[in-house]
Amino acid sequence: MQNFSLHTHTIEFDGRNSVAEMIEQAKRIGFLSIGISNHFIVHPKIKQTSMYAAAFSPKKPSAKRYHQMYSENFDEAIEKMLPIFEQIDSYKSDFPIFKGLEVDFFQYSGWDKGFEKALKILKPDYVIGSCHFSINHDKPINMHDILRFSAEEQEQIVHQYWQNEQNAIKSGYFDFMAHIDLYKRQGIGLDKKFLPLEEKTVALLSDYNLPAEINTASLNKTSYKEDYFLQLLYLFSQFNIKTFFSDDAHHISQLSNGYEFAEKYAQQAGISNFYQPISRNNRFQLVGQNLQKTKE
């Protein structure tokens, strides 16, 4: 079974454990490497969203830093991320620890230049492409807000979501894409009329030779059915997408969650193009592997 995770979060943002705790747990469960990939979400109107308001005044004391994942400008986001990367760099261990960013892709004027500046300063090992937001009346709308809209508006937002995913793939900024069918977690965008959009998005992954994760955290959502999971896996198989499992862990107990289940479904779907992270000449790379050989 896969023995690493590249999609994890720590307490400085919306996780529940420190960098050190995540690393030590990864070692305990037999991982051979781990990547720390906190959210990097930058939009000038991000603090006007209901998600920011909820994060800034959390009901649970353990979530006090949740609002830290949202930034109005890139200088603010860089300042928040630098201490995390410094923690990783200062951690003394032969255990491979990679520095990642889970980046929300936006297309407002200046986003690309700001993001390129951030890359030069932060120098992450890898960058995950994510689309947690759509834009409605020039304001970011998080996936959790979608249920507040009418059915007609939801359809428009889902169309926009898939377009945003496709533009993120085309941008060339990302090393792999996260949970590309994210809206299904909310039980929307399930109609068969959206399947061509999903197929086009997966086809673009193939066209741009871009890997995508199989996100096992989706399986924990009550509105996310196994059929949705399998539908995506069959598309990955059809287009021979480079892939691997991501637990999207926000707590040490979530590391490797769902891997065994996901492996069975991946085999059922006929997926064979699995990848793993390595450091070659001090540069992060995803290289092909045979998942069956990993188990032996």
Side-chain angles (χ1 to χ4, degrees):
M1 193 162 62
Q2 181 179 293
N3 49 23
F4 66 87
S5 178
L6 292 176
H7 191 159
T8 68
H9 302 272
T10 62
I11 197 168
E12 291 81 3
F13 292 84
D14 64 333
R16 297 293 178 268
N17 293 97
S18 67
V19 167
E21 288 170 335
M22 295 295 279
I23 295 168
E24 292 305 316
Q25 177 67 5
K27 292 179 183 179
R28 279 194 291 272
I29 64 176
F31 274 11
L32 299 183
S33 62
I34 190 171
I36 305 296
S37 59
N38 283 303
H39 290 284
F40 198 79
I41 303 172
V42 185
H43 193 283
K45 295 185 178 180
I46 199 70
K47 294 182 182 179
Q48 298 177 28
T49 64
S50 61
M51 287 301 292
Y52 180 81
F56 196 76
S57 302
K59 295 178 181 179
K60 296 181 180 180
S62 60
K64 284 182 179 177
R65 296 183 175 121
Y66 184 35
H67 65 283
Q68 287 290 99
M69 59 195 275
Y70 303 117
S71 299
E72 291 178 306
N73 59 71
F74 280 93
D75 288 339
E76 179 186 354
I78 292 167
E79 185 178 353
K80 292 174 182 177
M81 194 62 65
L82 276 172
I84 315 301
F85 279 17
E86 289 169 359
Q87 283 184 53
I88 297 170
D89 286 336
S90 65
Y91 195 89
K92 305 299 181 184
S93 175
D94 294 331
F95 186 77
I97 309 161
F98 300 113
K99 296 178 294 187
L101 297 173
E102 184 182 3
V103 176
D104 264 79
F105 179 72
F106 291 108
Q107 293 180 276
Y108 60 81
S109 177
W111 185 90
D112 52 348
K113 290 184 179 179
F115 182 53
E116 288 166 12
K117 172 185 174 181
L119 291 178
K120 289 178 182 178
I121 295 173
L122 294 171
K123 297 180 174 63
D125 294 313
Y126 63 94
V127 182
I128 309 172
S130 286
C131 297
H132 293 91
F133 292 85
S134 294
I135 304 297
N136 185 270
H137 299 299
D138 199 36
K139 187 181 294 186
I141 304 296
N142 188 277
M143 57 166 263
H144 295 287
D145 293 325
I146 301 305
L147 298 178
R148 303 178 184 181
F149 290 83
S150 68
E152 183 179 352
E153 289 173 312
Q154 286 181 12
E155 182 170 336
Q156 293 173 353
I157 291 169
V158 171
H159 272 277
Q160 185 190 101
Y161 168 79
W162 285 115
Q163 185 63 59
N164 203 32
E165 285 279 353
Q166 292 163 19
N167 290 335
I169 292 167
K170 295 175 184 177
S171 73
Y173 284 127
F174 304 114
D175 293 292
F176 65 92
M177 294 297 294
H179 41 54
I180 69 166
D181 63 345
L182 185 65
Y183 274 114
K184 292 182 182 178
R185 291 185 183 181
Q186 296 300 105
I188 65 170
L190 307 178
D191 194 286
K192 289 183 179 179
K193 64 186 174 185
F194 295 113
L195 183 56
L197 295 172
E198 188 170 350
E199 289 179 345
K200 182 178 179 180
T201 303
V202 175
L204 276 175
L205 290 170
S206 178
D207 291 344
Y208 283 80
N209 197 30
L210 185 64
E213 67 177 25
I214 296 173
N215 190 293
T216 61
S218 295
L219 299 168
N220 298 325
K221 308 299 180 182
T222 56
S223 58
Y224 191 87
K225 309 298 183 185
E226 292 176 12
D227 287 350
Y228 312 155
F229 191 63
L230 268 172
Q231 178 176 296
L232 184 62
L233 296 191
Y234 277 116
L235 285 175
F236 279 5
S237 177
Q238 177 184 342
F239 290 95
N240 198 30
I241 301 304
K242 299 175 181 177
T243 192
F244 49 86
F245 303 138
S246 286
D247 47 38
D248 202 348
H250 288 67
H251 188 275
I252 58 172
S253 65
Q254 296 172 342
L255 287 170
S256 82
N257 268 9
Y259 279 13
E260 185 174 359
F261 179 91
E263 182 177 346
K264 292 177 182 177
Y265 276 86
Q267 290 173 348
Q268 178 179 332
I271 295 177
S272 59
N273 202 2
F274 283 93
Y275 272 59
Q276 64 181 347
I278 66 167
S279 180
R280 180 175 287 163
N281 298 324
N282 293 320
R283 290 179 64 90
F284 173 89
Q285 285 183 293
L286 286 168
V287 298
Q289 67 168 343
N290 185 306
L291 194 62
Q292 292 297 97
K293 290 182 179 179
T294 302
K295 291 177 61 181
E296 294 172 359

